[in-house]
């Protein structure tokens, strides 16, 4: 019994503590917005805890206190009934004031979270079943580019995410940075955040969107502004041309086997819009919308049989021979 | 448990009219929920209307004459309806029979006009959201109209049989009351379907 | 000796009859005929109520088994017990079964059985509609589950958002099955709501003025109004979804002027009152059990009634809090924060009244009270997490995460299921004539209480740690496995408490201690008749002079005489003062409700396959309805 209790407490304590450092945790607030929400959470949790404990104590005391014997259920004391009525109404008034105060505090935080500061970076995110299309917006079209599933932003500057959906409703949620906002078919929503510290923050789709909703994650990496600019300029360029024979073969197979019908690699003839842009695939940390770390064996396993890893997703199983697979994977890994 | 008789209700009647009967309250409850259904449908219409700058989306507004003709007949029907109510309250069998036959005929005429209303909506349910919501609203009212006409026909037949008992007269007054609801529900729908697209 | 008193019309009455002779006559007149035909034609609210309760509890078990499957799948990272497609069907079926086939029907079922008894009448209003309601509920539930067993179970979540549930993204019949199940269950619920409103308004015992109506009956009256005004919204929603899918309408098609959020508004305008439709009866049950086991009337009756009514009204003003992250204007959203927080006030007032009652009373710790105490601990947590999610910024973090899953299970299981199990222990003696085992009851309670909290409390933390809802798995690196494992272990314990409840029921049906009329010494009218009650409920309609009639009048029940002994009669009284004014005939057993339900079922199921079902499906329903209402020439219809 004691062992159970102690291990239960240990587990809970660990989890509560790791939630403060977890990369997809509301308590690991790394932006102005999420920090504001965390402050609000702490206030509300504190009030809730106090109220719950108070009610439980009143209940407990009410049950165990010594009471006068009542002969008949209807032998009531007018004095008690009246006093109880007053106490109840006072408690009701206190409840009303408390919830109104909490509403006001909430409104304050709401204003901060929804404040629309002029943003340094605007990224349009379009939700697809089950991946994220990421388009960096710029004033001049040749400075905007498309990537997928991984977003990088400069630290300390407001970033606006414009949210649209290509199919069903999704939800863009990166708890370390800010609250979620849905990608609603037929309209554009926006969410804004200002990252405070460099780091990698994980997000996940938070609106049930079909069979692989569970595997629709993304990351937002906050970089020092110079690093961010370097990254952006590099992403803006097309794919490097393949130089070694295996990559050249891989690029031919990529086109020949039809991968280009769904995927775009800028700077080549592959221009498909149905799947993620792969121009700089090898600069990403994960594949399949955060499902697997990007390394050679995962990439090969994914391309060989996407349905095994993410059953029901829209990438068909391509029947590739192993030498073809090796060439394609090798080519893709050159796309830094 | 020991019982002590303290009241005697043997002199109470076995039927009544209006709020003295269970079925009247049942009809009220149905009117509440069906009225809410109309309100929700109207709200959905207005929501789509507010969201779309151009309304109707791809169709001309409905032709006015069928809906307006129907409205006139609905409003006129209140007169024989109320007369039927009076006759039924007085347990006047002949008057009630006449009233019910008239109301049945009016109902059937309105169903025919309703056919023209659908035909002159000038849109299809599958054309766009405007077409969908106008067909939906009109169809919703049509189900009420049709069931009330069915109800009235059955009551009419009953009044010509041996089942024309006092309780049946009470049923007739409930039917009258429900018809008023069908008419009243129609009026805002008439405005919604025929005049909002012309705004 | 029999001294039947004829009235002016020569109809025989019960004045002057001895109790036992009167009982024998009423028994013959009111009983449901035996055999299967009797079972299919019964219009006795107790027969139908019992069926309704058992069927709803069967759906609870089925929904619970689905939950066990979900917890097994989620107990560890990347488990492959359920494929993603099966998991998505399972969680959709779990939510839909619990909300539409268990939670609302079971509350209505207890009302169907007990409201007529508590107001002192012989049968519920519109007894045939009551029978129809049960059949429609049963057929709708079977329809959903048979579809599931044929792999056509819905997989779009219990709220079936478009466009995911539109034909484009859900090309099989799955979403249609869900939408039509809604139609079945809503019609069943609406029918019962109408009956309860009319029963409580017009069939109350003589002298049962508004302020003498039992709290549970008030709760069911408020609930019934909520049903009447909330359910039409989801009927419009589900019907329009079927139309979009079947005949190509464009309500939710953004390319053709439709709107995706329209669905959410229509759904949640119903969906929020829905949870109060589930909670308010629970609150009524709590008031009732506390009064009985604190051995005194509940403190603040008027405050409680007004709170129930206020909760009902307010519940219609909260729905947008389910849409806080859909991109709605912030000013509008803020209003819903205020209303969502304010609804805590009437609930809080009821809690304070209950605390005062327990403070002053001398509690008798039998199983029903234990479950009510469990309700306090659990529901208050749920209410407080509700205040948290009412805040838009907090909701932006916890919406669609396990935090919300924790919140609603705390309020629904705490606020409705715990009182419900308490009420099962409370009213089982009245329904069956036997007591449930107290010893098993205690085990039941502790397993439920501990199991529930171990299962659901960690979910608050998981949600804050980033775990979204409706995911069939998660990766090991997220660090969610320990808490998920703990939660699944708790779920197993919680599930075992229901096994114990079933065992207790089965055992006690045969071997339970005989209960007698009023084993708990309670105060309301259902305890004034035998356990189980005779088909006619009361041999004479009671007269009440007090809110707690059985505490006020000791062993002596004042009654009225003068009702017919030749036909089924109920006494109608005025709404406010309960002055009797009419002796209304009450229907005999009839096959027409069943036939109408069958015709309606064919219509509904047909119409998800072809719109022509609306054409050929209508005549059978019309014929059945005409058969239903056509007078039979019996005494009932003669006047």
């Amino acid at each position: 019994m004691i062992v159970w209790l102690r291990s239960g407490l240990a587990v809970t304590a660990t989890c509560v503590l790791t939630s403060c450092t977890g990369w997809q945790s509301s308590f690991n607030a790394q932006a102005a917005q999420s920090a504001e929400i965390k402050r609000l959470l702490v206030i509300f949790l504190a009030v809730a805890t106090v109220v719950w404990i108070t009610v439980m104590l009143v209940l407990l005391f009410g049950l165990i206190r010594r009471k006068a014997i009542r002969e008949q259920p209807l032998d009531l004391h007018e004095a008690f009934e009246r006093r109880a009525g007053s106490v109840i109404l006072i408690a009701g008034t206190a409840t009303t004031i408390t919830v109104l105060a909490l509403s006001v505090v909430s409104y304050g935080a709401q204003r901060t979270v929804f404040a629309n500061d002029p943003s340094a970076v605007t990224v349009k995110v379009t939700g697809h079943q089950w991946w994220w299309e990421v388009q960096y917006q710029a004033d001049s079209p040749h400075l905007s580019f498309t990537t997928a599933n991984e977003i990088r932003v400069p630290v300390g500057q407001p970033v606006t995410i414009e949210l649209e959906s290509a199919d069903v409703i999704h939800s863009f949620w990166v708890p370390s940075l800010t609250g979620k906002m849905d990608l609603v078919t037929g309209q554009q929503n926006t969410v804004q955040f200002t990252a405070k510290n460099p780091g990698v923050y994980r997000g996940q789709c938070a609106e049930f969107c079909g069979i692989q909703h569970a595997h629709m994650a993304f990351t937002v990496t906050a970089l020092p502004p110079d690093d961010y600019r370097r990254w952006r300029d590099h992403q803006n360029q097309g794919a490097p041309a393949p130089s070694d024979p295996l990559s050249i073969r891989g690029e031919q197979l990529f086109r020949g086997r039809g991968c280009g019908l769904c995927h775009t690699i800028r700077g080549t003839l592959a221009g498909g819009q149905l799947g993620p842009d792969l121009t700089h695939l090898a600069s990403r940390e994960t594949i399949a919308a955060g499902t697997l770390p990007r390394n050679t064996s995962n990439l090969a396993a994914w391309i060989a049989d996407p349905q095994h890893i993410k059953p029901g997703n829209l990438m068909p199983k391509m029947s590739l021979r192993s030498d073809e697979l090796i060439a394609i994977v090798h080519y893709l890994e050159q796309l830094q | 448990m020991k019982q002590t008789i303290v009241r005697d209700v043997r002199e109470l009647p076995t039927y009544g009219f209006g709020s003295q009967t269970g079925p009247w309250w049942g009809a009220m409850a149905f009117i509440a929920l069906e009225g809410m259904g109309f309100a929700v449908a109207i709200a959905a219409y207005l929501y789509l209307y507010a969201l779309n700058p151009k309304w109707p989306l791809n169709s001309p507004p409905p032709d006015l004459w069928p809906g307006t003709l129907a409205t006139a007949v609905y409003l006129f029907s209140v007169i024989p309806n109320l007369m039927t109510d009076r006759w039924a309250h007085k347990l006047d069998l002949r008057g009630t029979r006449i009233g019910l036959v008239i109301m049945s005929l009016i109902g059937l005429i309105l169903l025919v006009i309703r056919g023209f209303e659908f035909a002159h909506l000038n849109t299809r349910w599958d054309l766009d959201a405007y077409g969908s919501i106008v067909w939906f609203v009109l169809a919703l009212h049509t189900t009420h109209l049709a069931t009330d006409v069915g109800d009235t026909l059955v009551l009419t037949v009953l009044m010509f049989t041996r089942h024309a008992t006092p309780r049946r007269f009470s049923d007739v007054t409930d039917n009258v009351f429900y018809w008023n609801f069908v008419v009243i529900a129609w009026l805002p729908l008439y405005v919604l379907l025929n005049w909002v697209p012309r705004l | 000796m029999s001294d039947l008193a004829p009235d002016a019309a020569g109809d025989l009455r019960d004045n002057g009859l001895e109790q036992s002779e009167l009982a024998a006559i009423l028994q013959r007149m009111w009983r449901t005929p035996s055999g299967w035909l009797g079972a299919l034609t019964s219009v006795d609210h107790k027969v139908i109520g019992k069926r309704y309760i058992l069927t709803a509890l069967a759906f609870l078990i089925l929904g619970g088994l689905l939950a066990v499957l979900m917890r097994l799948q989620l107990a560890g990272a990347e488990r492959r017990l359920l494929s993603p497609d099966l998991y998505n069907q399972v969680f959709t079926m779990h939510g839909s079964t619990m909300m539409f086939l268990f939670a609302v029907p079971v509350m209505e079922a207890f009302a169907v059985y007990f409201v007529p008894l508590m107001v002192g009448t012989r049968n519920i209003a519109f007894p045939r509609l009551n029978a129809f309601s049960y059949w429609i509920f049963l057929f709708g539930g079977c329809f959903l589950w048979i579809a599931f067993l044929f792999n056509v179970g819905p997989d779009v979540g219990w709220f079936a958002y478009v466009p995911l549930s539109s034909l484009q993204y859900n090309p099989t019949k799955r979403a249609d099955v869900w939408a039509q199940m809604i139609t079945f269950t809503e019609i069943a619920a609406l029918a019962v709501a109408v009956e309860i409103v009319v029963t409580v308004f017009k069939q109350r015992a003589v002298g049962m003025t508004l302020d003498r109506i039992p709290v549970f009956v008030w709760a069911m009256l408020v609930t019934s109004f909520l049903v009447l005004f909330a359910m039409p919204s989801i009927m419009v929603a589900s019907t329009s979804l079927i139309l979009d899918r079947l005949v190509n309408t464009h309500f939710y098609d953004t390319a053709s002027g439709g709107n995706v959020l329209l669905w959410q508004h229509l759904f949640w305008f119903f969906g929020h009152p829905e949870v109060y439709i589930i909670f308010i009866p629970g609150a009524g049950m709590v008031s009732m059990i506390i009064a009985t086991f604190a051995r005194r009337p509940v403190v603040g009756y008027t405050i409680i009634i007004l709170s129930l009514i206020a909760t009902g009204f307010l519940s219609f003003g909260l729905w947008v809090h389910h849409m806080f992250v859909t991109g709605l204007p912030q000013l509008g959203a803020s209003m819903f924060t205020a209303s969502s927080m304010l609804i805590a006030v009437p609930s809080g007032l009821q809690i304070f009244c209950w605390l005062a009652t327990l403070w002053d009373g001398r509690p008798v710790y039998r199983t029903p009270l234990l479950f009510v105490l469990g309700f306090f601990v659990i529901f208050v947590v749920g209410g407080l997490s509700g205040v948290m999610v009412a805040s838009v910024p907090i909701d932006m973090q916890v919406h669609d995460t396990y935090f919300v899953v924790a919140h609603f299970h705390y309020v629904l299981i705490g606020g409705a299921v715990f009182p419900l199990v308490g009420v099962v222990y409370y009213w089982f003696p009245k329904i069956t004539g036997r007591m449930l085992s107290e010893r098993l009851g205690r085990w039941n309670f502790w397993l439920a209480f501990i199991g529930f909290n171990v299962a659901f409390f960690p979910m608050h933390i998981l949600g804050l740690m980033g775990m979204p809802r409706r995911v069939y798995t998660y990766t090991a690196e997220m660090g969610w496995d320990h808490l998920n494992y703990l939660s699944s272990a708790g779920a197993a314990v919680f599930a075992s408490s229901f096994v114990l409840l079933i065992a207790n029921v089965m055992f006690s049906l045969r071997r339970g201690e005989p209960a007698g009329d009023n084993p708990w010494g309670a105060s309301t009218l259902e305890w004034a008749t035998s356990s189980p009650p005779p088909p006619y409920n009361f041999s004479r309609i009671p007269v009440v002079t007090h809110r707690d009639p059985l505490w006020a009048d000791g062993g002596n029940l004042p009654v009225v005489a003068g009702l017919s002994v030749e036909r089924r009669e109920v006494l109608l009284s005025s709404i406010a003062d309960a002055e009797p004014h009419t002796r209304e005939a009450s229907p005999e057993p009839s096959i027409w409700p069943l036939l109408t339900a069958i015709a309606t079922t064919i219509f509904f199921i047909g119409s998800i396959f072809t719109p022509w079902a609306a054409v050929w499906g209508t005549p059978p329903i019309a014929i059945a309805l005409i058969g239903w209402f056509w007078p039979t020439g019996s005494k009932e219809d003669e006047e």
Side-chain angles (χ1 to χ4, degrees):
Chain A
M1 179 67 181
I2 302 289
V3 171
W4 269 101
L5 213 60
R6 277 173 50 184
S7 37
L9 276 169
V11 165
T12 315
T14 318
C15 297
V16 170
L17 289 171
T18 48
S19 75
C20 293
T21 54
W23 64 336
Q24 191 171 308
S25 168
S26 313
F27 277 113
N28 181 22
Q30 297 293 335
Q33 287 78 5
S34 53
E36 181 69 16
I37 301 177
K38 179 177 171 181
R39 198 180 67 93
L40 200 63
L41 270 167
V42 169
I43 294 172
F44 272 70
L45 278 170
V47 171
T49 309
V50 166
V51 169
W52 185 80
I53 291 178
T54 310
V55 174
M56 293 305 113
L57 286 175
V58 171
L59 175 64
L60 192 61
F61 188 67
L63 290 172
I64 61 182
R65 66 183 276 270
R66 194 164 294 171
K67 303 143 194 277
I69 299 191
R70 178 176 282 120
E71 293 291 339
Q72 291 296 329
L74 294 179
D75 284 344
L76 303 175
H77 296 297
E78 259 310 304
F80 173 80
E81 303 300 302
R82 264 183 290 112
R83 225 182 29 235
S86 310
V87 170
I88 289 164
L89 289 175
I90 291 172
T93 310
T95 308
T96 311
I97 294 173
T98 307
V99 296
L100 286 174
L102 289 174
S103 296
V104 171
V105 173
S106 172
Y107 293 153
Q110 201 174 338
R111 285 188 57 188
T112 307
V113 174
F114 283 95
N116 214 352
D117 299 325
S119 51
V121 178
T122 304
V123 183
K124 185 162 102 161
V125 172
T126 305
H128 294 258
Q129 283 177 315
W130 296 278
W131 58 280
W132 306 89
E133 178 187 333
V134 175
Q135 263 183 306
Y136 277 74
Q137 312 285 65
D139 289 331
S140 41
H142 73 271
L143 287 176
S144 69
F145 64 89
T146 302
T147 178
N149 300 325
E150 294 189 6
I151 300 173
R152 294 194 196 194
V153 298
V155 170
Q157 293 172 13
V159 175
T160 297
I161 313 279
E162 294 172 342
L163 300 164
E164 293 181 6
S165 172
D167 40 44
V168 301
I169 301 180
H170 301 274
S171 194
F172 182 87
W173 183 42
V174 53
S176 307
L177 296 177
T178 186
K180 61 182 64 71
M181 183 59 64
D182 285 354
L183 289 72
V184 178
T185 320
Q187 65 186 60
Q188 186 186 85
N189 289 338
T190 57
V191 72
Q192 195 178 75
F193 58 84
T194 306
K196 289 196 295 192
N197 301 310
V200 182
Y201 310 110
R202 190 176 190 270
Q204 196 168 344
C205 177
E207 182 58 63
F208 182 64
C209 53
I211 196 166
Q212 281 298 334
H213 165 66
H215 286 130
M216 188 172 161
F218 62 96
T219 53
V220 179
T221 306
L223 297 167
D226 291 333
D227 292 348
Y228 164 74
R229 257 191 300 278
R230 254 196 304 280
W231 173 85
R232 187 168 175 157
D233 290 338
H234 177 77
Q235 291 285 320
N236 212 6
Q237 293 159 16
S243 47
D244 67 276
L246 192 57
S247 302
I248 292 172
R249 176 136 191 277
E251 200 251 336
Q252 286 168 342
L253 284 166
F254 188 89
R255 274 182 291 121
R257 296 310 300 270
C259 311
L261 291 174
C262 292
H263 294 283
T264 296
I265 298 181
R266 281 178 276 122
T268 74
L269 292 169
Q273 304 279 332
L274 294 172
D277 183 298
L278 301 178
T279 309
H280 295 282
L281 176 63
S283 68
R284 295 188 211 151
E285 300 296 321
T286 61
I287 59 170
T291 306
L292 292 168
R294 183 196 54 78
N295 56 47
T296 311
S297 55
N298 283 342
L299 200 49
W302 171 256
I303 296 171
D305 190 359
Q307 293 300 318
H308 178 71
I309 293 169
K310 217 168 147 175
N313 93 86
L314 296 171
M315 177 159 159
K317 179 172 171 168
M318 315 288 290
S319 309
L320 293 169
R321 292 198 318 263
S322 49
D323 63 287
E324 294 175 319
L325 183 61
I326 291 170
I328 291 178
V329 170
H330 184 77
Y331 166 61
L332 290 173
E333 290 191 308
Q334 308 306 309
L335 299 176
Q336 296 285 350
Chain B
M1 209 167 169
K2 187 172 171 293
Q3 291 184 356
T4 310
I5 298 177
V6 300
R7 265 315 256 279
D8 191 333
V9 295
R10 79 179 103 179
E11 296 306 315
L12 291 180
T14 56
Y15 71 94
F17 287 97
S19 63
Q20 296 278 317
T21 70
W24 184 90
W25 286 95
M28 280 289 267
F30 275 109
I31 286 173
L33 74 93
E34 288 161 13
M36 193 64 192
F38 282 124
V40 170
I42 293 172
Y45 180 107
L46 292 173
Y47 183 86
L48 290 172
Y49 168 69
L51 283 178
N52 284 291
K54 181 167 175 289
W55 190 265
L57 295 168
N58 298 300
S59 332
D63 297 333
L64 273 179
W65 70 262
T68 311
L69 174 62
T71 307
V73 176
Y74 279 113
L75 289 173
F76 164 77
S77 74
V78 171
I79 302 170
N81 201 32
L82 284 176
M83 288 168 63
T84 310
D85 192 48
R86 284 218 192 100
W87 284 319
H89 266 96
K90 288 194 286 206
L91 303 184
D92 177 350
L93 182 60
R94 191 167 164 275
T96 306
R97 282 174 173 172
I98 293 173
L100 282 175
V101 169
I102 295 175
M103 293 310 293
S104 299
L105 285 172
I106 291 178
L108 290 168
I109 290 170
L110 281 167
L111 279 173
V112 170
I113 300 179
R114 181 53 51 92
F116 284 98
E117 288 176 82
F118 272 110
H120 288 264
L121 278 176
N122 295 327
T123 184
R124 278 171 60 97
W125 67 89
D126 58 357
L127 181 67
D128 53 30
Y130 166 78
S132 303
I133 191 69
V134 303
W135 273 76
F136 184 87
V137 168
L138 196 57
L140 192 62
H141 188 264
T142 307
T143 55
H144 287 80
L145 174 62
T147 49
D148 196 296
V149 173
D151 210 7
T152 309
L153 286 169
V154 171
L155 265 177
T156 310
V157 169
L158 277 173
M159 286 321 242
F160 282 90
T161 66
R162 63 187 170 103
H163 296 295
T165 56
R167 181 168 155 158
R168 209 99 297 115
F169 287 95
S170 177
D171 291 342
V172 171
T173 60
D174 288 344
N175 188 247
V176 160
F177 169 57
Y178 192 79
W179 180 253
N180 289 335
F181 166 65
V182 174
V183 171
I184 292 173
W186 171 246
L187 299 174
L189 296 179
Y190 168 69
V191 171
L192 191 75
L193 291 175
N194 290 281
W195 293 101
V196 170
R198 292 181 154 86
L199 279 176
Chain C
M1 207 35 232
S2 74
D3 180 10
L4 297 166
D7 71 338
D11 190 22
L12 297 171
R13 305 307 176 78
D14 63 15
N15 310 68
L17 279 178
E18 292 293 325
Q19 281 248 69
S20 50
E21 193 174 358
L22 177 59
I25 293 175
L26 289 173
Q27 174 78 17
R28 269 198 311 276
M29 200 156 66
W30 283 88
R31 56 180 275 274
T32 295
S34 53
W36 59 267
L37 189 61
L40 295 179
T41 58
S42 178
V43 292
D44 182 340
H45 73 102
K46 298 180 295 299
V47 170
I48 294 168
K50 249 190 314 203
R51 269 179 207 162
Y52 231 125
I53 292 172
L54 284 172
T55 309
L57 291 178
F59 282 120
L60 169 65
I61 303 303
L62 286 175
L65 287 172
L66 292 174
V68 168
L69 278 177
M70 288 162 68
R71 285 316 319 167
L72 283 173
Q73 166 69 10
L74 290 175
E78 306 276 30
R79 282 202 175 178
R80 295 205 164 213
L81 182 67
L82 302 176
S83 69
D85 184 57
L86 184 56
Y87 185 88
N88 295 342
Q89 283 186 75
V90 167
F91 82 71
T92 303
M93 289 293 296
H94 168 74
S96 303
T97 300
M98 289 304 197
M99 295 300 278
F100 294 113
L101 300 178
F102 159 66
V104 170
V106 83
M107 296 304 183
E108 296 210 307
F110 273 100
V112 161
Y113 193 107
F114 282 98
V115 165
L117 285 164
M118 292 176 99
V119 301
T121 185
R122 290 233 167 100
N123 203 352
I124 201 167
F126 314 125
R128 289 171 299 187
L129 184 64
N130 196 217
F132 171 78
S133 164
Y134 172 74
W135 297 120
I136 284 288
F137 160 63
L138 176 68
F139 296 156
C142 291
F143 169 59
L144 178 71
W145 273 83
I146 291 172
F148 175 54
L149 293 173
F150 277 93
N151 202 33
V152 197
D155 57 349
V156 287
W158 86 278
F159 37 85
Y161 279 178
V162 295
L164 187 64
S165 56
S166 69
L167 196 61
Q168 184 178 3
Y169 299 102
N170 200 279
T172 65
K173 284 296 169 195
R174 288 175 169 185
D176 301 288
V177 166
W178 178 88
Q180 207 60 299
M181 173 275 296
I182 299 287
T183 313
F184 277 102
T185 53
E186 302 313 300
I187 287 186
L190 283 164
V192 171
V194 171
E195 295 152 27
I196 290 178
V197 168
V198 179
T199 308
V200 175
F201 273 9
K202 297 303 295 174
Q203 286 183 211
R204 301 198 309 274
V206 177
M208 187 181 280
T209 53
L210 290 178
D211 66 330
R212 291 178 187 159
I213 297 177
V215 178
F216 177 71
V217 175
W218 269 113
M220 291 315 305
L221 183 66
V222 171
T223 303
S224 300
F225 274 101
L226 258 62
V227 169
L228 292 180
F229 289 111
M231 294 207 170
S233 187
I234 197 178
M235 290 283 269
V236 170
S238 64
T239 306
S240 51
L241 179 65
I242 293 179
L243 289 171
D244 262 21
R245 293 170 56 89
L246 193 70
V247 294
N248 208 24
T249 50
H250 300 280
F251 297 103
Y252 307 113
D253 176 9
T254 50
S256 303
N259 186 270
V260 151
L261 292 183
L262 174 62
W263 170 268
Q264 295 193 23
H265 282 295
L266 288 174
F267 184 89
W268 288 115
F269 186 76
F270 148 80
H272 195 81
E274 156 89 337
V275 304
Y276 287 93
I277 288 169
I278 298 169
F279 167 62
I280 288 178
M285 291 168 175
V286 170
S287 280
M288 178 174 71
I289 291 176
I290 287 186
T292 302
F293 292 90
R295 313 301 304 144
R296 58 150 290 158
V298 77
V299 171
Y301 172 89
T302 309
I303 298 177
I304 289 183
I305 304 307
L306 291 175
S307 295
L308 287 170
I309 296 173
T311 305
F313 269 108
L314 274 173
S315 74
F316 280 97
L318 308 192
W319 86 92
V320 175
H321 72 218
H322 298 272
M323 298 168 68
F324 275 160
V325 299
T326 56
L328 295 175
Q330 286 307 302
L331 184 58
S334 304
M335 315 241 49
F336 287 90
T337 291
S339 60
S340 304
M341 297 231 200
L342 278 172
I343 204 166
V345 176
S347 299
L349 283 170
Q350 288 186 75
I351 291 180
F352 304 143
C353 289
W354 295 326
L355 288 174
T357 313
L358 289 170
W359 184 280
D360 186 59
R362 292 176 63 89
V364 176
Y365 293 98
R366 307 291 288 277
T367 307
L369 186 64
L370 293 182
F371 276 96
V372 163
L373 295 177
F375 149 83
F376 270 106
V377 177
I378 297 173
F379 178 73
V380 174
V381 173
L384 291 167
S385 64
V387 168
M388 289 176 68
V389 295
S391 152
V392 171
I394 292 182
D395 192 53
M396 286 179 79
Q397 286 288 31
V398 301
H399 172 75
D400 245 308
T401 69
Y402 265 81
F403 187 91
V404 169
V405 175
H407 160 68
F408 65 69
H409 283 92
Y410 266 81
V411 281
L412 286 176
I413 295 183
V417 176
F418 267 68
L420 180 73
V421 180
V423 128
V424 168
Y425 278 86
Y426 184 67
W427 270 335
F428 183 89
K430 177 53 58 178
I431 299 176
T432 64
R434 293 189 180 271
M435 307 296 289
L436 282 168
S437 153
E438 257 309 294
R439 208 163 146 262
L440 283 179
R442 274 166 211 274
W443 274 92
N444 187 174
F445 168 71
W446 285 108
L447 282 175
F449 185 76
I450 293 172
F452 170 81
N453 281 294
V454 173
F456 288 96
F457 195 82
M459 293 185 183
H460 291 107
I461 304 174
L462 280 168
L464 290 168
M465 283 172 73
M467 184 171 178
R469 281 174 80 169
R470 302 161 148 202
V471 290
Y472 75 96
T473 190
Y474 50 90
T475 53
E477 51 173 4
M478 299 312 299
W480 297 331
D481 22 5
H482 296 298
L483 285 176
N484 268 294
Y485 191 83
L486 185 62
S487 167
S488 299
V493 174
F494 187 48
S496 71
S497 76
F498 285 95
V499 173
L500 210 58
L501 175 63
I502 296 172
N504 199 349
V505 166
M506 313 231 57
F507 171 81
S508 304
L509 276 173
R510 300 275 161 76
R511 311 272 199 77
E513 212 185 290
D517 288 4
N518 193 359
W520 309 116
S523 69
T524 41
L525 284 178
E526 77 272 28
W527 303 103
T529 185
S530 61
S531 306
Y536 49 86
N537 293 351
F538 303 95
S539 52
R540 290 200 166 88
I541 303 296
V543 174
V544 303
T545 54
H546 193 277
R547 195 178 290 158
D548 298 286
L550 268 59
W551 284 345
D553 289 321
N556 178 28
L557 188 69
V559 294
V560 301
L563 287 184
S564 168
V565 290
E566 287 193 301
R567 65 174 202 168
R568 296 186 174 202
E569 253 181 21
V570 294
L571 194 60
L572 298 188
S573 54
S574 60
I575 290 194
D577 294 328
E579 272 298 302
H581 57 68
T582 307
R583 295 175 292 121
E584 194 168 79
S586 189
E588 304 261 332
S590 163
I591 194 68
W592 292 106
L594 175 60
L595 294 179
T596 311
I598 292 173
T600 311
T601 301
I602 295 172
F603 178 103
F604 285 158
I605 296 183
S607 46
I608 68 172
F609 293 101
T610 164
W612 292 108
V615 174
W616 47 253
T618 304
I621 300 179
I623 293 170
L625 284 172
I626 292 174
W628 179 326
F629 287 106
W630 197 267
T632 54
S634 68
K635 275 220 148 248
E636 168 208 1
D637 298 307
E638 224 158 78
E639 287 166 30

